[in-house]
Amino acid sequence: LDSYEEVQLSKHIETVNPIYVVAVSASAVAANKHHLSIWNGSTYRIRILEIIVGMHNTAAVTGYKMQFLAYRASAISGGTALTIDKLDPDDPSPPSGISASTGATVTVTGIPLAIFTPNPEETGGDSWINFKPPKAIVIKPSTGFTIQQYATAGAGLFNAVVYFSVEGIKP
């Protein structure tokens, strides 16, 4: 005679944690350059959710693809600061200690987490690449993330947008 019904609701973690965006636009290509770097000097974990990279040409270039690699970093210093913005204006500002830059000096660690090969050729079909990792790339406190150009100079301008969350609530 006694009965009850139990209901469980769940939300994806990213509907609860604030999501931020950082971008670099028209970054001049250069061998080994770190075009976009994020340093996590906070006590929170960063979860990189999506990366969009693209090239645009500045001169006639033919038959030339360029490679960019995403890495974890153990140190990031210098460079030009980039603005981190929030997708929802009502979300809190990013925690103190999280910063982003272009042209920084970076110490990379481990293997590449992603490889991008956009085509700066004026007739190239790969003008942008959207990468959504199978699972969020987690950046622990006192570590970082960077997108570095391969050791080839090339021609054109590099652009990237990185969407990430900060774990206020852990999965």
Side-chain angles (χ1 to χ4, degrees), residues 51 68-72 111-116 145-148:
I51 304 166
F68 300 85
L69 301 115
Y71 288 100
R72 293 183 193 283
I111 63 169
L113 302 173
I115 299 172
F116 309 101
F145 172 85
T146 191
I147 300 174
Q148 180 182 21

Side-chain angles (χ1 to χ4, degrees), residues 6 29 65:
E6 181 178 314
V29 297
K65 288 192 173 194

Side-chain angles (χ1 to χ4, degrees), residues 29-112:
V29 297
N32 296 309
K33 181 176 181 179
H34 292 273
H35 289 277
L36 189 153
S37 303
I38 301 171
W39 180 251
N40 185 5
S42 76
T43 58
Y44 297 92
R45 292 160 46 116
I46 292 174
R47 296 166 48 88
I48 296 183
L49 308 171
E50 190 167 354
I51 304 166
I52 301 170
V53 299
M55 294 284 300
H56 61 273
N57 61 343
T58 55
V61 178
T62 58
Y64 196 86
K65 288 192 173 194
M66 296 175 62
Q67 192 172 69
F68 300 85
L69 301 115
Y71 288 100
R72 293 183 193 283
S74 61
I76 297 175
S77 63
T80 302
L82 296 172
T83 301
I84 298 173
D85 204 355
K86 42 194 172 179
L87 291 186
D88 182 344
D90 293 331
D91 278 343
S93 294
S96 177
I98 296 176
S99 61
S101 57
T102 183
T105 299
V106 179
T107 304
V108 300
T109 59
I111 63 169

